[in-house]
Structure formats: C-alpha cells, structure tokens
Amino acid sequence: MASILLKNVVKSFGTFVGVQDMNLDVVDEEFLVLLGPSGCGKTTTMRMIAGLEHPTEGEIRIGDALMNDIDARDRDVAMVFQGYALYPNMSIYENIRFPLRMRQVPKAKHDDLIRRAAEMVELGPFLDRKPGALSGGQRQRAALARAIVRQPQVFLMDEPLSNLDAKLRASMRVQIKHMQRELKVTTVYVTHDQIEAMTLADRIVIMNKGVIQQIGTPDDIYSNPANTFVAGFIGSPPMNLIAGTAQSGTFSSAGVRVPCPANLSGNITLGIRPEDCQIGGDNLQGQVYGVEPTGDITYLTVRTANKNIEIKAGREFRAPIDSAISVGFDTSRLYFFGEDGSRVGVN
Amino acid sequence: MASVRKSGGDNLLVRYIILGSWAMVCLVPILWFLTIGFRPRTEIIVPEPIYWPTWSLDAWRLLVSDWPIALYLRNSVLAVAGSVLIDLVLAIPAAFALARYEFKGREDIGFYILSTRMMAPAIVAVPIFFLFKNIGLLDSVWALMLIYAAINLSLVTWIIRSYMLDIPKELEDAARTDGADDLTILWEIMIPACLPGIITAAVIAAIFAINEFLFTLLIASTSKAYTMSVALANFTGGSDGVIYNAIALVSFIAFAPILILVILIQKHLSRGLTMGAVKG
Ligand SMILES: Nc1ncnc2c1ncn2[C@@H]1O[C@H](COP(=O)(O)OP(=O)(O)O)[C@@H](O)[C@H]1O
Ligand SMILES: [Mg+2]
C-alpha cells in the first residue's frame, strides 16, 4: 500500500517524445485510470512505474522511496498485461505461484495464498490446466490472480479487459473494482475505453500525445472538461463541438445562435452535450440527417451547414429524413473553448 | 464452382493416389537398398533383377565379425551428441542475448555469427588440421566433437534466436515484475517456451554432424576416431572385393538415426529450415 509520485517525467525514444513532462500524484489506495487514445503514452507511463522502462528525465517515487534506479523485480509492483502474459509451460497453479517463489515467500504459505487468490477470481476448478486450455476470460482472471496473490504495494493493469467480449468486460469490470476496494491496493489502470474509465476510477487522467490533458474525478471530467480534446473524448456520443464566433454576448455559427459570456470575442468553439439539447427551441436550425432508435433513447443527428450535431431525443421521437428541425440548448450547460482549445468563459 | 471444393469423395481419392505415388517414388529406392542388405551376395549382381529376395543375414554376420561397427557407431554417437550438447550450452545464452538485450551492433553480430556458416569448409581445413595437430588431438573423438560443435554453433544460435524473437516480450516483463532475475527468466520462461525450437536446432545440428565428412576424414586416421560417415566411405567389404550387400547394410545403419530424428521433429523441421523467413 503506497502512493505513487511522478515528477517532471519525460520519456523519449530517440527524437520521439512518448511522454512529456508528466506530473502525477496517485494517492494511497486510490484507483487511478489513465485514459487516452491509442499511442498517447499510457503503456509507457505504466511501464515506467513498473520499472520496465527508464524515464529519460524526472523522478518516480513509490511510497516515499525514489525508484529511478530500482530494478523492476525489486519494486513491489504487480502488473497485469494486455496479453495476460501467462507462462505457457506452467499450469495456472504454477503461474500464480511464480511471484511467491520469486519473492521468497515461505513455501508452507504458498498453497493457501494461491487458493485464496484463485477463489477471489473464481478460478478454483482450473488450477491444474495450462493457460492454453483456458478461455480468454479465464486467462484474464488467471493473470489477475497472479497479480493479487502476493499483496503488492501497487497494482498496474494495462488494458486488461480489451480482449474480452462486451458482456464479460462488464462483469469483469465490477469484479476488478470490488477486488480493489477489498484489497485496498493503490491501482493504476490503463484503458482507451471511457466507459471503463468512468465506472472504475476514483480519478481519471486523460492523456493525448504524451501530455496530460486533465486530471479529475469522473464527474469532474464529464461536467468540467478542460479543453476540446477532453470534451470530445468523454461521453457517448461525445460533446458536440461547433466552431463559430463570439461577439457582444452572442455566439453564432451557421444555423446556431446562443448567448455567451460578454467577455468572449473572436473565434470560439461551442460545446454542448447531446443530452443537453431538446427538440424545439431557437438555438439551432437544421435538417434531420438520421434517427436511430435504441429502445430507451433515440439518437438524432441534425445537419447544419458546417457540421452534424448529435442529440439524445426521447424514446418515442421519430422524424423523416431531411425534414427541417429546430433545437434548443440548455443554456446553463454551454461550454466555450478558445482558439487553443482550452476552456474559456468560466466564472 | 461448387464442385471445386467438394469434400471427400473422388477428389480425396485422387489426392491420395497422387501423394501415394510420390511417396513410392521416394521410398522404393530406400526399400530396395534395404533388401539388398538382407540378401545373399550371389543374388545381387545378376543379369535380371530378382524382385523377391531370399532373406539372408550373411552381410550382417560379415559386418559383426570383420568390421568394428560398434566402435564406429560409438564414435559417431559420442562426437555428435557431445557436439550438440556443447552447441546448446553455448547457443542458448547467446541466442537470448541476441534476441533480448539491447546493445550496439546487435544485428551485425547476429548476422556475423550466421555468416560464418556460409564459408566454404575447405578454406579452414588446413589450419584446422595443424591446430589439432599442435594440441595433440589428431585421430580423436574429442577433436571431432569440438569441430562438429564449431561447425553447427552458428546455425543453432540462429535458429534458437529466431524462436526466442517470437516469444512475446510481455512474458519476460511479467516475470521481471514478478521478481525474476535474468537467469531465472532464461531458465524458467524462455527455455521452456522455445523448447520446440531448441529441439529442432539440436536435431538439425545432429543431422549435419552425423553427415560431416571433410573434417572427419582430415582428423580421423584410424578406426580409433572413425565415425560412420568416414568408415562407410572407406568400406568396400574387405579382401574379397566389393561386397554390396554389406555396404548397403552399413549405409542403412548410418542412415537410420537420421531418418528417426527427422520423423521425430518433422512438424518443426520446415519451420527451422525456413528460419530466415521468420522476422529478424
Ligand atoms: N520502445 C519504443 N520505441 C519507440 N517508440 C515507442 C516505444 N514504445 C512506445 N513507443 C511509442 O510511444 C508512443 C506511446 O506508446 P504507448 O505508451 O504504448 O501508447 P498507448 O499505451 O497509450 O497506446 C507510441 O507512439 C509508440 O509508438
Ligand atoms: Mg498501450
């Protein structure tokens, strides 16, 4: 159990900078999720914490100890890899036992610990099998069991659910969160799936191109995105971003008119979430581009001169394609972003 | 269109006939040659071939009484097995380093190792002869063991390296975070994971070593160090002229271990022989 601290951490591969000047403070027992598109440096960050990659610059601390010169095997960190990385020649039992043997845990304790870990991920009946004889979900749980069998200071999980089907993913998500609360081990979890991030995290770190975009609780990130990248990444569908201009208290773009803070002017991007739009109103005029009923909600796409706008309409909403439609925005939930993409006009 | 991929039926039969004929073409000479080994001498050189042999152990009796075949076999086995063992002990750590550690010139060293295999052996024949003469190992099985090991080391290293490159790095990273050091990773993770590759490399090396002729001829001058390959070449059957049935039998004894080895690893063999096509 320990906190993790990254201070001005940089990782370059030759001239390419994979992680840029990263500052991160993971609190003891926290569940922190690194979220971002593929290639944004999540895995690299995690591997640096594990000691599998050395930072080009900066400090990494676990607990209070400086880790920069500590080998991966001497950091008390357990990692779950994206491909599970089970040892193919060993049975599941031996796989789970491997970290115990390596850490010189007394032999007499092994069996007990292994069975308890296997129990926790409901893998009891499969201990004698080789990894090759397990399904994807079982392998995933075996990898989890191997990580939890010795109570490490830190769990690192790199997209552990990305190879599973949607249903299994949802049930494993709950299981992982429950397990983390029970074991109270500081956890850093990497994913590119925002639902996973929102549901699991105490705090989310959003990354793009090696740079942290925002750190905050899921609620915070959802309701106060720091920039257009975060706004456009979180939510499904994500926030609508409409480029336009602001002048004396009004934002306008082709077919769109909303009030905005009086101090904004020039090129501004308006952000509005699909659930904050309703049919009928005078903020947006356009044509129906598509209507997608899903049962509990209907997704409506409205075409304006510049852009298609996504709207979550009521479950019974239907409209013929190309019919004219007007839309109102919840003006208390408008977001404005400046030319560099960062949020402006917040009181 | 539908009939093209018709499963079973005539199609399958045709395939079996074609493959069976091909197998016959390949196997008949070997079988024929095996029967020669078990015929009386009088039945071999005749104007009209005799297809249905009279079985006889004449050749076998002659071999056992006149020819130190057990000694040759022993020499072969000792030199070949020893050389393969030396190769594995040296090649596995080298392959691990070439496959996994980052260091300057890694690719160049890897290719240099393989390129030593491409040299014509005759170029080093004379230096090798004097080398072993000076260290007093002429006409010795130990010398053959060392030479076979040297000949095959590069190939064995290269094959094992190519298998190791195919093992996901994550496996090693996992072992490292679990607390394993390099030696443990090599011994408990890498070697078991690429065991098929190690076996393939060992068998290929064994085959090359069993068949080695040039250096064996150079080093071995008496039956003290003769192996099957050289003994076979020197064997004519003794004072009674060329005894073909005995020659056939000796050839078959020399050939059988290779056949057995190839059957054992045929699943992996094509992979091992095309390892250049595998990445790196
Ligand atoms: N060993 C490496 N050598 C060169 N570039 C690398 C290496 N590892 C990662 N990268 C690059 O760094 C960037 C971030 O990679 P990664 O951390 O794996 O991204 P993510 O896990 O967010 O998808 C990618 O563009 C990747 O190509
Ligand atoms: Mg990744």
Side-chain angles (χ1 to χ4, degrees):
Chain A
M1 271 106 295
S3 59
I4 306 169
L5 184 75
L6 273 69
K7 203 168 150 199
N8 302 110
V9 168
V10 176
K11 177 68 190 181
S12 336
F13 302 103
T15 56
F16 176 81
V17 182
V19 172
Q20 256 177 65
D21 197 28
M22 183 168 226
N23 287 287
L24 190 59
D25 187 358
V26 191
V27 183
D28 190 17
E29 296 186 20
E30 181 174 71
F31 199 123
L32 186 93
V33 173
L34 296 181
L35 173 66
S38 178
C40 72
K42 307 181 295 290
T43 298
T44 306
T45 306
M46 177 158 276
R47 290 173 59 85
M48 285 192 288
I49 299 173
L52 297 168
E53 209 85 67
H54 291 285
T56 316
E57 283 171 41
E59 276 182 16
I60 295 178
R61 288 173 185 275
I62 296 180
D64 285 325
L66 185 65
M67 286 288 141
N68 288 43
D69 297 323
I70 309 284
D71 271 352
R73 67 195 180 96
D74 298 323
R75 303 185 184 189
D76 193 10
V77 164
M79 185 154 170
V80 177
F81 292 82
Q82 190 169 357
Y84 313 144
L86 295 172
Y87 311 125
N89 50 297
M90 300 182 200
S91 66
I92 297 303
Y93 187 91
E94 283 302 322
N95 261 279
I96 302 176
R97 184 164 169 224
F98 190 78
L100 300 179
R101 280 202 289 129
M102 293 303 118
R103 309 259 172 203
Q104 274 89 41
V105 175
K107 262 209 172 101
K109 290 188 182 172
H110 288 190
D111 195 60
D112 219 31
L113 289 170
I114 295 166
R115 291 192 189 278
R116 199 177 313 160
E119 223 36 65
M120 228 164 160
V121 295
E122 294 159 31
L123 214 58
F126 305 103
L127 284 174
D128 293 334
R129 297 213 195 159
K130 290 272 174 73
L134 295 186
S135 72
Q138 290 165 340
R139 282 182 215 183
Q140 206 285 326
R141 283 181 280 153
L144 270 179
R146 188 176 63 187
I148 62 177
V149 70
R150 62 187 167 98
Q151 295 259 328
Q153 293 206 42
V154 172
F155 280 147
L156 302 174
M157 306 191 189
D158 192 357
E159 312 214 14
L161 305 183
S162 63
N163 292 333
L164 305 181
D165 62 54
K167 210 171 145 196
L168 199 53
R169 207 152 55 210
S171 76
M172 283 306 303
R173 218 160 58 203
V174 180
Q175 207 168 355
I176 287 179
K177 187 165 185 173
H178 183 85
M179 212 170 64
Q180 196 266 347
R181 288 288 184 277
E182 204 167 326
L183 298 171
K184 299 189 188 345
V185 175
T186 313
T187 301
V188 179
Y189 184 105
V190 161
T191 181
H192 64 264
D193 177 350
Q194 49 149 327
I195 305 287
E196 252 171 55
M198 298 293 279
T199 49
L200 285 170
D202 292 324
R203 282 191 306 159
I204 298 177
V205 178
I206 299 202
M207 295 179 66
N208 187 32
K209 297 187 177 146
V211 180
I212 292 183
Q213 303 293 312
Q214 188 171 2
I215 304 178
T217 63
D219 287 341
D220 196 23
I221 294 231
Y222 192 79
S223 40
N224 288 305
N227 56 38
T228 48
F229 178 82
V230 177
F233 196 76
I234 295 284
S236 61
M239 187 181 282
N240 293 298
L241 295 169
I242 306 164
T245 49
Q247 203 185 6
S248 44
T250 305
F251 169 92
S252 52
S253 173
V256 179
R257 252 182 110 76
V258 292
C260 72
N263 59 349
L264 296 184
S265 65
N267 293 335
I268 293 287
T269 299
L270 166 70
I272 178 83
R273 291 215 178 269
E275 64 270 32
D276 296 330
C277 306
Q278 63 272 337
I279 313 299
D282 56 359
N283 296 118
L284 179 144
Q285 267 72 41
Q287 291 86 42
V288 173
Y289 182 77
V291 178
E292 302 165 279
T294 63
D296 59 341
I297 207 170
T298 302
Y299 292 101
L300 163 67
T301 309
V302 175
R303 181 165 50 198
T304 70
N306 293 339
K307 204 172 155 57
N308 286 350
I309 310 293
E310 301 286 338
I311 294 170
K312 285 185 187 171
R315 63 198 290 183
E316 260 121 42
F317 177 82
R318 300 288 183 274
I321 283 178
D322 285 338
S323 59
I325 190 162
S326 44
V327 175
F329 297 155
D330 178 348
T331 49
S332 67
R333 294 184 185 273
L334 299 177
Y335 300 85
F336 299 96
F337 303 94
E339 278 189 88
D340 63 352
S342 61
R343 181 103 181 265
V344 292
V346 195
N347 303 329
Chain B
M1 283 302 283
S3 66
V4 174
R5 283 225 54 115
K6 193 166 55 175
S7 66
D10 342 329
N11 213 335
L12 200 65
L13 190 68
V14 170
R15 265 187 255 171
Y16 274 116
I17 289 174
I18 293 174
L19 289 175
S21 317
W22 176 245
M24 284 297 283
V25 169
C26 295
L27 284 178
V28 160
I30 294 172
L31 293 175
W32 185 246
F33 149 91
L34 183 61
T35 69
I36 291 176
F38 290 100
R39 285 166 187 233
R41 198 178 171 193
T42 47
E43 217 178 89
I44 297 162
I45 307 178
V46 285
E48 290 288 320
I50 299 168
Y51 290 104
W52 211 242
T54 324
W55 298 110
S56 138
L57 290 176
D58 286 359
W60 180 249
R61 274 186 219 109
L62 183 83
L63 276 187
V64 175
S65 63
D66 284 15
W67 208 58
I69 186 167
L71 183 63
Y72 300 152
L73 265 176
R74 191 208 67 152
N75 288 345
S76 273
V77 168
L78 203 63
V80 170
S83 76
V84 170
L85 207 66
I86 293 172
D87 278 341
L88 291 182
V89 167
L90 296 177
I92 290 173
F96 184 50
L98 286 171
R100 282 298 192 259
Y101 290 111
E102 301 282 338
F103 53 90
K104 248 206 171 77
R106 184 176 81 153
E107 294 302 311
D108 300 331
I109 291 174
F111 188 73
Y112 163 73
I113 288 177
L114 185 67
S115 71
T116 59
R117 175 84 202 176
M118 301 168 184
M119 179 179 55
I123 294 172
V124 289
V126 173
I128 291 266
F129 179 80
F130 283 108
L131 181 68
F132 281 94
K133 188 174 176 202
N134 287 340
I135 56 177
L137 273 182
L138 283 184
D139 204 20
S140 140
V141 176
W142 305 109
L144 296 179
M145 192 186 288
L146 291 175
I147 290 175
Y148 296 165
I151 290 173
N152 288 320
L153 184 58
S154 60
L155 193 65
V156 171
T157 308
W158 194 259
I159 293 173
I160 296 176
R161 185 193 89 121
S162 93
Y163 273 82
M164 284 184 170
L165 283 175
D166 276 2
I167 308 238
K169 264 212 173 77
E170 266 195 356
L171 224 50
E172 211 181 309
D173 290 338
R176 218 172 283 281
T177 45
D178 280 346
D181 57 20
D182 283 10
L183 265 181
T184 312
I185 289 173
L186 176 60
W187 189 248
E188 292 208 35
I189 310 293
M190 289 304 264
I191 290 180
C194 62
L195 202 57
I198 292 172
I199 292 171
T200 304
V203 170
I204 291 175
I207 291 171
F208 280 125
I210 290 172
N211 286 330
E212 208 293 324
F213 185 75
L214 177 69
F215 289 103
T216 313
L217 191 64
L218 200 69
I219 297 292
S221 45
T222 68
S223 48
K224 198 175 131 219
Y226 271 10
T227 63
M228 288 302 285
S229 69
V230 167
L232 179 63
N234 287 338
F235 182 68
T236 53
S239 51
D240 301 334
V242 182
I243 304 175
Y244 286 107
N245 54 352
I247 292 177
L249 194 58
V250 170
S251 305
F252 195 77
I253 292 168
F255 164 75
I258 300 173
L259 183 69
I260 293 167
L261 286 176
V262 169
I263 290 172
L264 285 180
I265 60 144
Q266 54 179 335
K267 199 171 65 178
H268 303 295
L269 195 59
S270 61
R271 160 87 210 272
L273 292 174
T274 56
M275 78 262 153
V278 185
K279 71 179 126 158

